[in-house]
Amino acid sequence: MSSLWWSLRLRREASSVPLARKLLLESMESARVDPEIAYELSLALSEACANAVEHGETDDPGAYRVSAYLDGDRCRIEVADSGPGFVRGARGCSRAEPSRAQVAWDAEHGRGLFLIESLADHVRFRNRPGSGGAVVSFDKVLRPGGGTLLPAS
């Protein structure tokens, strides 16, 4: 599989989330990634984008950045915003949300970071140095055991 890379600067509006998700799904389809894995990554991306929209800088409607890299058998996604960043606590990073261990399975808020961690192989939550803001990056192997890319037709 060849490499594919894209980066978007999106407005901090709820309507931007489906746009990022659609572009990722279309990229995955063109790269012949298994639809189930593509769906999992698009769901994780939606959660990361929703967090950027909700927790970004409140005084400025501003923007956030989404980047995706498909290279060989791996996809890496990064979502960066200009908000206050993550709060470091005893359980790692959060956005002033309850710890992921304390979030009820049927809660309407506070499950996004947990969901991203559940859907991706490796996740990193960090603050942007200097300018402020949060960065969520995650990656997933696209063909564990060699079988998640669709055969050429």
Side-chain angles (χ1 to χ4, degrees):
M1 175 168 68
S2 61
S3 296
L4 180 115
W5 174 86
W6 53 261
S7 185
L8 298 172
R9 186 172 183 267
L10 298 167
R11 285 191 169 285
R12 272 192 47 245
E13 298 172 351
S15 62
S16 68
V17 177
L19 175 64
R21 183 177 177 146
K22 182 176 183 332
L23 181 57
L24 180 67
L25 284 169
E26 289 176 358
S27 299
M28 296 279 189
E29 183 178 359
S30 72
R32 306 192 59 76
V33 173
D34 180 277
E36 187 174 323
I37 288 183
Y39 174 77
E40 289 174 356
L41 279 169
S42 72
L43 185 56
L45 173 64
S46 295
E47 290 297 330
C49 290
N51 272 343
V53 168
E54 182 178 347
H55 298 288
E57 187 58 49
T58 56
D59 295 338
D60 175 20
Y64 65 102
R65 180 161 305 278
V66 177
S67 301
Y69 312 88
L70 281 79
D71 189 22
D73 65 351
R74 181 166 297 277
C75 179
R76 167 158 283 231
I77 296 170
E78 185 172 284
V79 177
D81 67 42
S82 59
F86 289 103
V87 176
R88 293 223 177 256
R91 295 191 174 272
C93 291
S94 73
R95 291 245 173 156
E97 299 173 352
S99 75
R100 291 181 289 284
Q102 297 171 341
V103 176
W105 69 271
D106 59 348
E108 290 192 29
H109 297 288
R111 296 185 308 154
L113 301 180
F114 174 76
L115 188 56
I116 294 167
E117 288 178 324
S118 299
L119 294 168
D121 294 329
H122 178 264
V123 181
R124 183 173 178 211
F125 305 109
R126 67 185 192 281
N127 290 327
R128 288 177 27 180
S131 61
V135 179
V136 176
S137 56
F138 53 96
D139 59 78
K140 188 165 186 79
V141 174
L142 300 176
R143 51 176 146 179
T148 59
L149 292 180
L150 298 176
S153 44

